[in-house]
Amino acid sequence: MRLATLRDGTPDGRLVVVAPDGTSFASAPVPTLQAALEAWEDIASRLAAITSFPEPLDPAEVLAPLPRAWQWLDGSAFPSHGELMDAVLGVTPVKTGLPLMYQGTSDRFYPPISEVKFPDEALGIDFEGEFGVIVDAVPMGVTAAEALRHIRLVVQINDWSLRALAGPEMKTGFGWVQAKPPCGMASFAVTPDHLGDAWRDGRVCLNLLVDWNGARFGAANGAAMGHGFHELVAHAARTRDLVAGTIIGSGTVSNANFRTVGSSCIAERRGIEVLDLGTAQTEFMRFGDRVRMEAVDSAGHAPFGVLDQTVVRA
């Protein structure tokens, strides 16, 4: 099942069920995705029962599947990305075996096709291709096995970052605020079963194709997560309940053979250049630059649709 949210003049938009080919839709029996998540046990079967999609879908009218959320928690679950960044920065991380996670801004998620405003190119504008999950209400202390059953939807995310601000903010010990503006989200939220064999062990086992200004930048696969999404959910819920509609991200999709498959963010590419060449050569984004992200299966289908965003001056 694929769900989308269309513009209707309200902050949370209008929930619709999307046809398998992504070109048409039917109205949902509840007004918003948040409302559906809060009553998922009752609503999911009604959504899945919709098989006729009479209205054509205009991609320009599609918002993020969840345009705003109660909570956005982002992990860093790909070991190759973390190890590369640690090596470049000369950081010796504390070894705990626990997932890494921070809490970011959730009052807005940019639409899949949109202009994203930034105040200054000098802030080090960077994209980060990720996968994410949306949960229903999760009780405190849930186990990873139990958490898997609370993952209701899977999404594709661009976690925008301002790299010039990230380092100084991290060193304060209080985490990111200015360095992490709102994220973007691809067109469709899908149920895990919609992914078929590509949903395995709490992981999205698809290549995430990232194009920057029309050139392929990366094609890393989501199977390489060191902690699956169910483990991330359990980590987040260790000391608190998670409200329905909480979104949890994977962190930058990365593979150990990043020199071959490419990267899902510019910082990783720059890190490779530092290790191989002694200095970073790839610049961060400029106003007018465009990034396109699309997760594809073996048949070339894109279950989440496309994220296609352009950087502009605020």
Side-chain angles (χ1 to χ4, degrees), residues 2 22 25 35 45 53 58 72 81 91-92 106-107 129 169 199 207 239 271 280 297:
R2 302 168 97 184
F25 70 90
S45 60
F53 308 97
D58 180 356
W72 155 242
H81 179 77
V91 174
T92 302
S106 62
D107 59 327
E169 284 199 317
W199 177 253
N207 291 332
T239 61
D297 60 20

Side-chain angles (χ1 to χ4, degrees), residues 217-243:
F217 192 82
N221 191 283
M225 288 176 73
H227 294 92
F229 276 113
H230 54 311
E231 295 167 302
L232 297 183
V233 173
H235 176 74
R238 181 185 178 190
T239 61
R240 55 178 160 173
D241 298 331
L242 303 181
V243 298

Side-chain angles (χ1 to χ4, degrees), residues 31-85:
T32 67
L33 182 53
Q34 182 63 38
L37 290 160
E38 290 173 355
W40 190 261
E41 293 289 349
D42 296 326
I43 296 300
S45 60
R46 295 169 62 190
L47 293 170
I50 296 173
T51 58
S52 176
F53 308 97
E55 301 184 66
L57 184 68
D58 180 356
E61 294 301 308
V62 178
L63 299 173
L66 199 57
R68 56 179 180 172
W70 289 108
Q71 188 165 219
W72 155 242
L73 302 170
D74 196 17
S76 182
F78 289 88
S80 57
H81 179 77
E83 291 164 4
L84 175 62
M85 293 296 98

Side-chain angles (χ1 to χ4, degrees), residues 250-287:
S250 66
T252 305
V253 177
S254 176
N255 295 166
N257 59 335
F258 38 62
R259 290 180 178 85
T260 301
V261 302
S263 299
S264 302
C265 72
I266 300 170
E268 185 172 287
R269 171 72 62 83
R270 287 168 59 88
I272 297 167
E273 293 168 348
V274 169
L275 294 182
D276 292 352
L277 306 173
T279 184
Q281 298 186 347
T282 301
E283 299 294 331
F284 289 111
M285 299 185 81
R286 302 291 186 184
F287 295 139

Side-chain angles (χ1 to χ4, degrees), residues 71-78 99-104 109 128-135 151 153-159 183-185 202 204 225 227-233 235-236 242 245-253:
Q71 188 165 219
W72 155 242
L73 302 170
D74 196 17
S76 182
F78 289 88
L100 297 174
M101 187 173 288
Y102 76 92
Q103 185 162 350
F109 286 85
E128 290 190 60
E130 305 190 8
F131 295 112
V133 297
I134 309 177
V135 299
I151 294 173
L153 296 167
V154 188
V155 292
Q156 180 192 315
I157 294 168
N158 180 7
D159 177 31
C183 302
M185 199 178 293
V204 181
M225 288 176 73
H227 294 92
F229 276 113
H230 54 311
E231 295 167 302
L232 297 183
V233 173
H235 176 74
L242 303 181
T246 296
I247 307 172
I248 295 181
S250 66
T252 305
V253 177

